[in-house]
C-alpha cells in the first residue's frame, strides 16, 4: 500500500517531486532525490538506495495482519462512519486508560481504509492505551475525469465525518469502552490522518461560518501528528501525494479560498499541546512540510514539538516492528498520562 505513488516513482527514477529543490526538502537532497552532485553516479546510487529503503519500510509496515477491534460503533448512517475500539491489554482496574484517537492516512483516497493501521492501534492497546480507530469518507474515481484513479478526499464529507466522529466520541466511549477515560484524549494520525488530527485540534479557529467551528478548544490532552500533511501550501509546491491536498479541497479553482477552512497552518495557535514526529528520510511527506507548520506555529506564538528521527522514512512510524513506533508511543504517553 502506498499513499503517494508519485513520490515512489520520482525516487525510483532519481528525480525530485515537482517543484522541489534541495533547500525546500530540508537540505538532505541525497536522501530525498534532490539535485545531483558532481559525481552523478554517486547521486543516482543514493537515490536508488533511498527508494529501496522506502520500499522495505513500507513492506514491513504492511506485513502485519489486520487486527479486529473489540467492538465497533457507528457515528452516522454512511458505512464509512464507524469507529473501531480497542480495549487496553492488561488494564489496571483501578485506573481508567487514556484514550488515543487514531486517524489513518492514505492521502484521503478510498482504497486506503482504517484496516491498514489496525496493527498500530493494537500496538497502542498493548501499551496500555484505549484506542478509537476512526473511519471517514474518502475520495473515489470520478468517471468524468477518466476514472484513472481515486481523487483525494471528499469535500466537505471528509471534514464532516472527522468532526462528527470526535463530537460523538465521549458518548460512544462511555457506552462501548468503559475502560477508557474520555477526559484524557490524545489524537494521533499518520500522513493525511496527521493533517486531520491537527485540523481537529484547531476547529475553534475555523471561520465562524464553517459548519465544523467550535466555540471553544476541543477537550483534548494533545495531538501527536505523524509525518503529517500539515501545511497545504508547502505540500502543493512539493506535489505531495500527487496533489492530494489540492484534490481534497475540490481543485485548483477553490484551493486558496478553502485553505482557512482546511489547512492546519492557518489554524494557529491552537492552545493544545502538539507534537509532530517526522522521519528525516521520508520520501512521501518530506520533512519540509512538518518544519513549515512548526515555523508557522512559532510565528503565532505557540511552541510545537518536532521530533525528527534519523534514517527513518514514512512508514516506520506506524510499524509495530520498528523502533520509530515505540518513539511514537512514548510521545503519546507524555501527553496522555
Amino acid at each position: 500500500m502506498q499513499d503517494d505513488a508519485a513520490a515512489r516513482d520520482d525516487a525510483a527514477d532519481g528525480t525530485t517531486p515537482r517543484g522541489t529543490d534541495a533547500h525546500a526538502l530540508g537540505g538532505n537532497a541525497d536522501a530525498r532525490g534532490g539535485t545531483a552532485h558532481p559525481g552523478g553516479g554517486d547521486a543516482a546510487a543514493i537515490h536508488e538506495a533511498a527508494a529501496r529503503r522506502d520500499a522495505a519500510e513500507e513492506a514491513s509496515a504492511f506485513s502485519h495482519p489486520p487486527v479486529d477491534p473489540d467492538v465497533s460503533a457507528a457515528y452516522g448512517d454512511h458505512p464509512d462512519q464507524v469507529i473501531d475500539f480497542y480495549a487496553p491489554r492488561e488494564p489496571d482496574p483501578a485506573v481508567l486508560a487514556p484514550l488515543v484517537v487514531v486517524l489513518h492516512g492514505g492521502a484521503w483516497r478510498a482504497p486506503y481504509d482504517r484496516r491498514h493501521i489496525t496493527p498500530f492501534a493494537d500496538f497502542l492497546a498493548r501499551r496500555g492505551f484505549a484506542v478509537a480507530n476512526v473511519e471517514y469518507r474518502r475520495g473515489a474515481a470520478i468517471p468524468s475525469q477518466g476514472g484513472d484513479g481515486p481523487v483525494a478526499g471528499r469535500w466537505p464529507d471528509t471534514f464532516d465525518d472527522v468532526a462528527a466522529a470526535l463530537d460523538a466520541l465521549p458518548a460512544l466511549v462511555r457506552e462501548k469502552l468503559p475502560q477508557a477515560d474520555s477526559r484524557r484524549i490524545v489524537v494521533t494520525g499518520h500522513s493525511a490522518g496527521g493533517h486531520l488530527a491537527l485540523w481537529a485540534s484547531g476547529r475553534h479557529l475555523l471561520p465562524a461560518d464553517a459548519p465544523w467551528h467550535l466555540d471553544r478548544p476541543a477537550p483534548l490532552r494533545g495531538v501527536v501528528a505523524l509525518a503529517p500533511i500539515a501545511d497545504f501550501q508547502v505540500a502543493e509546491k512539493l506535489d505531495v501525494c500527487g496533489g492530494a491536498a489540492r484534490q481534497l479541497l475540490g481543485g485548483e479553482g477553490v484551493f486558496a479560498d478553502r485553505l482557512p477552512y482546511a489547512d492546519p497552518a492557518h489554524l494557529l495557535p491552537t492552545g493544545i499541546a502538539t507534537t509532530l514526529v517526522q522521519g528525516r528520510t521520508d520520501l512521501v511527506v518530506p520533512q519540509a512540510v512538518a518544519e513549515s507548520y512548526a515555523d508557522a506555529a512559532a510565528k503565532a506564538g505557540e511552541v510545537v514539538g518536532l521530533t525528527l528521527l534519523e534514517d527513518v522514512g514514512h512508514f516506520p512510524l506506524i510499524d509495530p516492528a520498528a523502533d520509530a513506533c515505540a518513539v511514537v508511543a512514548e510521545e503519546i504517553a507524555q501527553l496522555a498520562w
Side-chain angles (χ1 to χ4, degrees):
M1 177 260 185
Q2 171 61 282
D3 65 349
D4 186 11
R8 170 62 50 77
D9 294 341
D10 289 337
D13 69 9
T15 62
T16 39
R18 177 173 60 82
T20 65
D21 57 28
H23 180 267
L25 291 175
N28 193 1
D30 284 350
R32 299 183 182 85
T35 53
H37 290 253
D42 291 343
I46 290 170
H47 300 155
E48 183 178 350
R52 284 199 305 268
R53 179 165 59 182
D54 178 63
E57 289 174 340
E58 179 185 5
S60 177
F62 297 108
S63 67
H64 311 286
V67 181
D68 291 333
D70 295 302
V71 65
S72 299
Y75 63 87
D77 296 330
H78 192 277
D80 285 336
Q81 294 175 323
V82 63
I83 303 173
D84 291 338
F85 292 102
Y86 296 78
R89 313 310 183 208
E90 301 181 5
D92 183 345
V95 180
L96 294 177
L99 178 67
V100 180
V101 180
V102 174
L103 296 164
H104 70 81
W108 311 283
R109 292 183 171 124
Y112 312 124
D113 63 19
R114 70 192 185 282
R115 292 290 286 172
H116 79 264
I117 209 168
T118 59
F120 174 70
D122 178 68
F123 173 82
L124 293 177
R126 288 187 280 111
R127 300 290 288 246
F129 299 107
V131 181
N133 187 18
V134 176
E135 190 58 278
Y136 52 88
R137 283 174 285 181
R138 304 166 312 286
I142 299 178
S144 63
Q145 294 184 356
D148 56 351
V151 297
R154 291 168 58 172
W155 178 276
D157 307 46
T158 300
F159 297 93
D160 288 344
D161 287 358
V162 172
L166 289 174
D167 291 346
L169 200 57
L172 291 177
V173 166
R174 287 192 294 270
E175 177 185 353
K176 302 292 185 179
L177 199 64
Q179 307 95 320
D181 187 350
S182 60
R183 299 168 301 176
R184 287 188 292 161
I185 298 177
V186 173
V187 180
T188 191
H190 179 239
S191 195
H195 154 262
L196 294 172
L198 295 171
W199 177 83
S201 72
R203 288 172 58 195
H204 57 293
L205 301 174
L206 288 168
D209 63 342
W212 320 291
H213 175 83
L214 295 176
D215 292 334
R216 63 193 67 183
L220 305 176
R221 291 292 293 268
V223 173
V224 179
L226 314 177
I229 305 178
D231 185 316
F232 276 12
Q233 290 175 296
V234 173
E236 175 68 1
K237 290 176 182 177
L238 300 181
D239 197 32
V240 168
C241 298
R246 179 178 67 256
Q247 294 175 15
L248 173 67
L249 299 197
E252 186 173 350
V254 294
F255 180 74
D257 290 341
R258 289 177 174 173
L259 284 174
Y261 297 85
D263 183 7
H266 281 69
L267 305 176
L268 291 163
T270 66
I272 294 172
T274 300
T275 296
L276 312 183
V277 184
Q278 175 75 42
R280 284 190 179 273
T281 57
D282 193 329
L283 295 174
V284 179
V285 183
Q287 177 180 328
V289 181
E291 289 178 330
S292 181
Y293 178 86
D295 289 345
K299 291 175 182 177
E302 186 163 74
V303 176
V304 167
L306 177 56
T307 299
L308 298 173
L309 303 181
E310 296 290 341
D311 299 321
V312 170
H314 193 65
F315 297 100
L317 303 178
I318 59 168
D319 181 359
D323 291 341
C325 199
V327 173
V328 168
E330 181 57 33
E331 295 287 0
I332 293 171
Q334 290 185 24
L335 297 180
W337 292 102

